[in-house]
Amino acid sequence: MKALLIGEYRQGKLLDTTYELKAFADRLGADSVMLLVGSDSELPKYDGTLYLADAAKYGEYNPDQHKQLVLQAVEKENPDCIVFVHSSYGWDLAPRVAVALKAGQVSEIVALNEGAYEVNACNAKLRRTVTPKSGRCVLTIQAGAFTPSGEPQGTPQPERLELSGTASAIEFVGYEAAEQKGVDLSKAEVIVSAGRGVGKKDNVPVIAALASALGGELGASRPVVDAGWVDHSHQVGTTGQTVSPKLYVACGISGAIQHLAGMKKADFIVAINKDKDAPIGEIADVLVVADVMQFVPAFTAKCAR
Amino acid sequence: MKILVCIKQVPDMESRFRPNGEKTWYDESDLAFRMNEYDEYAVEQAVQLKEQLGGEPEITVLSIGPERTVEAIKKALAMGGDRAVHIRDDRYYQKDPWQIASMIASYAKGEGFDLIFTGMQSQDRGSAQVGVIVAELLGVSCATTLVGFSYDGGTITVKRELEGGIKGVAKLKLPALVTCQLGLNTPRYPTLPNIMKAKKKEIASLTAAELTGEAELTATAAIYPPAKKGGGLVLEGEIGAQVDRLMGILKEKTAVLR
């Protein structure tokens, strides 16, 4: 079995998730080659063929051309699968490649299961085993699901890829930096976060009161920030801040993977949720099955005493 | 301008899920269905664009699914869609993203849509493939994961959400398809007069068989609850007792309460 791994490069840097692709190929027992639209100065530590296209020429977000580059490498290597990280780069590019090859795509693989791929459904409350029916397939892997066993090492043998034309339907304008962080949650020892389960904006102060009773900061999950209940500077997760406090209290947070990725390194995790099956229960040290708006005020009163 | 918005009806994610009898999808009994959250942002963005252009664009809402899907369609019409197409398919859940996208593209091909909005993924299956595949099949340009959108004279400027809160800005010429991320806008609640008005709007009905003969490219081999990793301690029961137990545990296991 041979895998073509599609590395990631952004703002002039190789992204570490690139190494998760190699870890996945190893778990699959597949030989691999890699493709990167990047630069000579940021080569991945990887023993093997690296198809390298110049990001200065083909852009960092230019899916039409990146698709053509991937197809060139597919032509040369005839791989059984083409593997992307399930990221803003991967989920955008992978289906374009899949359509061009008329290959089936399995998205956001979290585990391998006897030659089939396991993916989540319904906010990780169910899991599916998916099998490709096309001879060749496109795969995207969940970030963090396949971690390299040690420090990456190796020296790639670069092979240059070029396209004859550089016309593209998409004009990339540039990056916009993350919003200025009003609160630096990364240094907080205690974080008490509000999720959709708090019910409404008026209830957020109840969660903030517990944060303050524990000498900590208020955090929030994405839905709460999107709804405008809490400012974005408090958001914990993939698109917010990554935190590692001594204590993390998740109030009414179901535990979407994007949230878990931002807080699972906390030393001790308490979740308060009325749904005993909520995915947050999988990583919580203690799951309190209760209505947040009943439990939190009672607990805050006890802490303050 | 002709706009298409593709929506899906999905279960409330707070529900308890269990596999169906044939272990290919979840059991639908006892589940409450609603419009896929991502798609609400897609509908809202289409309606905002129509308003910006003085009401000129015509918005068609498309959804694939069984009879119950009509409820989600009606909501989209009450939010401001003009007409709808319901592709009836009781076995929609057995179709993979390739087949679903092929059905949509097959419908859209002759219609000359200038702009297509979809959610970036569905909350139940979450493949994040359908929108992009539709764009590729129609040969229109495409950008995913939008948290910003503006239109000016045949060109759209989009803001894509990237990891770590960074955003990528790009310009696309119409025709185009975009997939919408949470937070793109604030989806409106349909007002009562608009709900009444929506009742009079056309919902055309097609069957899946009329639209695709494509075979699946991936198949669900099994569906099951994830194995519990043991996890931590579960505290149930009366609030007062839960408070005392948690207090004890935090004093013992963490340094934050003394």
Side-chain angles (χ1 to χ4, degrees):
Chain A
M1 186 159 188
K2 189 197 269 184
L4 170 62
L5 313 177
I6 312 301
E8 298 203 24
Y9 178 88
R10 186 182 306 140
Q11 294 185 298
K13 297 271 182 238
L14 179 77
L15 301 190
D16 280 345
T17 45
T18 301
Y19 296 112
E20 299 181 17
L21 297 162
K22 178 65 167 62
F24 175 76
D26 290 346
R27 291 278 302 282
L28 210 53
D31 297 329
S32 67
V33 294
M34 191 178 277
L35 177 146
L36 181 72
V37 184
S39 76
D40 283 310
S41 57
E42 282 280 315
L43 294 181
K45 298 184 177 68
Y46 171 79
D47 280 324
T49 303
L50 174 70
Y51 288 98
L52 185 65
D54 188 356
K57 192 168 171 187
Y58 299 109
E60 294 184 5
Y61 179 69
N62 191 339
D64 294 334
Q65 288 184 17
H66 288 206
K67 174 180 75 177
Q68 295 303 332
L69 291 163
V70 172
L71 293 177
Q72 267 194 32
V74 169
E75 180 90 351
K76 287 172 200 278
E77 292 288 339
N78 196 25
D80 301 288
C81 58
I82 301 111
V83 191
F84 299 79
V85 179
H86 196 73
S87 63
S88 61
Y89 179 74
W91 68 57
D92 190 278
L93 182 55
R96 303 176 202 251
V97 171
V99 171
L101 298 169
K102 208 176 170 186
Q105 179 181 328
V106 185
S107 294
E108 202 168 10
I109 296 165
V110 295
L112 296 173
N113 185 348
E114 294 172 7
Y117 304 104
E118 285 192 25
V119 305
N120 283 325
C122 300
N123 201 7
K125 289 184 176 181
L126 287 174
R127 196 165 263 206
R128 289 195 304 142
T129 307
V130 184
T131 45
K133 295 290 178 185
S134 51
R136 178 182 281 150
C137 60
V138 169
L139 309 173
T140 69
I141 59 170
Q142 185 179 77
F146 299 91
T147 43
S149 48
E151 276 298 299
Q153 43 190 310
T155 310
Q157 294 106 50
E159 294 220 13
R160 309 277 156 187
L161 289 182
E162 297 286 349
L163 295 176
S164 46
T166 52
S168 171
I170 296 178
E171 180 201 339
F172 184 69
V173 179
Y175 293 102
E176 220 172 72
E179 285 168 48
Q180 280 297 319
K181 286 169 186 163
V183 189
D184 186 1
L185 296 178
S186 66
K187 293 191 178 66
E189 294 206 339
V190 177
I191 296 172
V192 181
S193 283
R196 209 199 299 252
V198 305
K200 55 183 179 182
K201 187 173 186 173
D202 292 348
N203 290 342
V204 171
V206 172
I207 310 302
L210 176 57
S212 136
L214 292 170
E217 298 281 355
L218 177 70
S221 71
R222 175 173 197 140
V224 163
V225 171
D226 283 343
W229 300 353
V230 177
D231 184 73
H232 178 267
S233 62
H234 293 268
Q235 187 177 323
V236 174
T238 317
T239 52
Q241 301 191 50
T242 301
V243 300
S244 49
K246 288 183 177 154
L247 173 64
Y248 190 89
V249 185
C251 305
I253 293 176
S254 65
I257 177 69
Q258 293 80 4
H259 187 78
L260 302 186
M263 46 64 77
K264 64 186 177 193
K265 288 194 181 131
D267 292 344
F268 201 83
I269 299 169
V270 175
I272 301 147
N273 207 301
K274 63 176 186 230
D275 180 3
K276 196 179 170 181
D277 296 329
I280 191 91
E282 284 289 307
I283 63 155
D285 295 285
V286 179
L287 172 64
V288 180
V289 183
D291 184 305
V292 167
M293 293 314 297
Q294 288 179 18
F295 181 84
V296 171
F299 191 70
T300 305
K302 188 93 177 174
C303 291
R305 212 172 291 156
Chain B
M1 180 188 285
K2 288 183 76 177
I3 298 174
L4 177 68
V5 187
C6 302
I7 65 168
K8 181 179 184 180
Q9 195 192 36
V10 298
D12 186 330
M13 287 301 129
E14 303 295 316
S15 316
R16 299 190 94 162
F17 292 93
R18 56 175 188 272
N20 64 8
E22 53 192 14
K23 303 275 186 283
T24 52
W25 201 226
Y26 48 76
D27 183 350
E28 288 198 1
S29 51
D30 302 331
L31 293 179
F33 283 81
R34 46 163 291 171
M35 195 193 306
N36 181 43
E37 198 173 3
Y38 297 87
D39 302 344
E40 292 185 354
Y41 294 89
V43 174
E44 176 62 32
Q45 203 58 53
V47 175
Q48 286 188 11
L49 179 58
K50 182 182 168 102
E51 288 167 349
Q52 179 194 335
L53 298 179
E56 184 274 319
E58 184 194 51
I59 301 174
T60 302
V61 175
L62 178 149
S63 192
I64 299 171
E67 187 59 36
R68 58 166 165 74
T69 311
V70 171
E71 291 310 310
I73 291 174
K74 281 182 183 162
K75 180 175 182 185
L77 292 175
M79 287 173 74
D82 295 300
R83 54 187 293 274
V85 177
H86 177 199
I87 300 172
R88 287 171 191 274
D89 190 353
D90 288 343
R91 309 281 279 173
Y92 75 100
Y93 58 88
Q94 289 199 320
K95 295 192 169 64
D96 71 353
W98 163 255
Q99 290 172 302
I100 294 290
S102 295
M103 281 161 80
I104 297 170
S106 160
Y107 164 76
K109 205 148 238 163
E111 296 287 323
F113 291 109
D114 302 286
L115 191 49
I116 302 176
F117 292 92
T118 73
M120 76 150 289
Q121 62 185 349
S122 60
Q123 291 175 281
D124 54 356
R125 192 185 277 258
S127 79
Q129 294 179 32
V130 172
V132 185
I133 298 176
V134 169
E136 290 292 303
L137 290 175
L138 294 175
V140 302
S141 56
C142 169
T144 62
T145 336
L146 265 59
V147 288
F149 174 94
S150 64
Y151 170 86
D152 187 20
T155 298
I156 55 174
T157 303
V158 302
K159 223 180 260 186
R160 299 187 63 231
E161 183 181 64
L162 312 178
E163 289 72 19
I166 305 165
K167 296 176 181 75
V169 182
K171 286 182 190 294
L172 291 76
K173 284 206 178 357
L174 301 191
L177 181 149
V178 293
T179 80
C180 304
Q181 170 64 300
L182 307 178
L184 169 62
N185 48 45
T186 308
R188 69 194 65 193
Y189 291 102
T191 59
L192 190 57
N194 285 339
I195 292 170
M196 299 313 288
K197 247 188 267 173
K199 288 187 197 291
K200 297 198 184 72
K201 291 176 180 173
E202 175 204 356
I203 303 179
S205 184
L206 294 171
T207 60
E210 294 170 62
L211 288 173
T212 184
E214 288 291 337
E216 64 187 7
L217 295 178
T218 59
T220 301
I223 192 162
Y224 42 91
K228 292 275 173 203
K229 292 186 193 104
L233 182 67
V234 176
L235 296 184
E236 293 184 271
E238 189 261 327
I239 296 272
Q242 287 176 318
V243 166
D244 290 342
R245 291 267 328 260
L246 182 61
M247 187 61 85
I249 292 165
L250 292 186
K251 279 182 178 157
E252 186 188 331
K253 303 269 190 188
T254 76
V256 299
L257 274 179
R258 281 169 222 280

